[in-house]
Amino acid sequence: IATGSLNKLGQTIKYNSSGATNWTNAFVGDGAVQVLYGVAVDNQSSVYVAGVANYSGTNDTYLIRYNSTNGSNIWNVSYNVGTGNEVANAVDVDNKGFVYIAGSDGFNKLIVKYNVTDGSYVYNITGGDVTGEENFLDIVYDSDALYALLYDFINHAVTIYKYNATNQSVIWSKSQAENAVPDSSRWGIDIDSQGHAYVAGDDDGFFTIFKFN
């Protein structure tokens, strides 16, 4: 499954193992911006794509659940806190019936949890921009925990926040500074079977990977 944008329309494409297109779906709205940044799949024949759409006069997060077999839309939901330009940069789904988006509410870093059945809101996690940490770039669910990644543009460091996925509490946060040069937002995270976190991204034009316990 691939997702992105074509002519400001959010596009999702499913390919088979030979690279042939199975289906393509685009969401079209009245707003000027519709872009998809993240994609996740579950074991219930569903695919979730997340990004940004402009329906309210400002940008809002946007999350869509598709049937992965035929590409039909099951539900879609947006998150709008008012005057901010919200964005969802990443999405992941757990094995308990919930899906999570991560990004920014326009002012602070943001995670929103939804029920996969109907897209109903469960909770949000947000935090003040005190050290340039206003935007989560990626999110991974593992063993009832959420690992959310951001880049701190003031301290030039990648930072992981580990949250309890049930009660939203912070379990720990860790940072790794790499150099004094502000980098781009091209960073991603994944977790192995032993709970180690791996962060990869752009360190002043060089590929860099960090491993966290």
Side-chain angles (χ1 to χ4, degrees), residues 77-150:
V77 64
S78 63
Y79 182 82
N80 175 22
V81 298
T83 59
N85 283 305
E86 299 88 14
V87 61
N89 293 312
V91 58
D92 204 8
V93 60
D94 66 19
N95 56 1
K96 298 182 177 182
F98 301 101
V99 60
Y100 309 83
I101 62 170
S104 170
D105 67 5
F107 306 99
N108 307 302
K109 53 187 179 288
L110 174 72
I111 295 172
V112 186
K113 179 178 180 178
Y114 296 98
N115 189 303
V116 301
T117 302
D118 56 6
S120 58
Y121 170 90
V122 180
Y123 66 61
N124 74 80
I125 301 171
T126 189
D129 175 17
V130 294
T131 58
E133 303 174 350
E134 75 280 5
N135 192 11
F136 280 129
L137 304 176
D138 202 2
I139 189 168
V140 176
Y141 173 89
D142 182 73
S143 303
D144 201 39
L146 297 173
Y147 298 79
L149 173 70
L150 55 81

Side-chain angles (χ1 to χ4, degrees), residues 167-185:
N167 64 24
Q168 311 163 243
S169 61
V170 177
I171 299 173
W172 52 255
S173 65
K174 301 291 182 181
S175 295
Q176 177 67 48
E178 22 77 55
N179 62 30
V181 179
D183 292 334
S184 71
S185 58

Side-chain angles (χ1 to χ4, degrees), residues 56-79:
S56 63
T58 58
N59 293 339
D60 305 324
T61 70
Y62 206 72
L63 174 65
I64 309 170
R65 180 185 178 188
Y66 291 121
N67 182 307
S68 64
T69 302
N70 58 26
S72 60
N73 186 307
I74 299 173
W75 52 254
N76 53 265
V77 64
S78 63
Y79 182 82

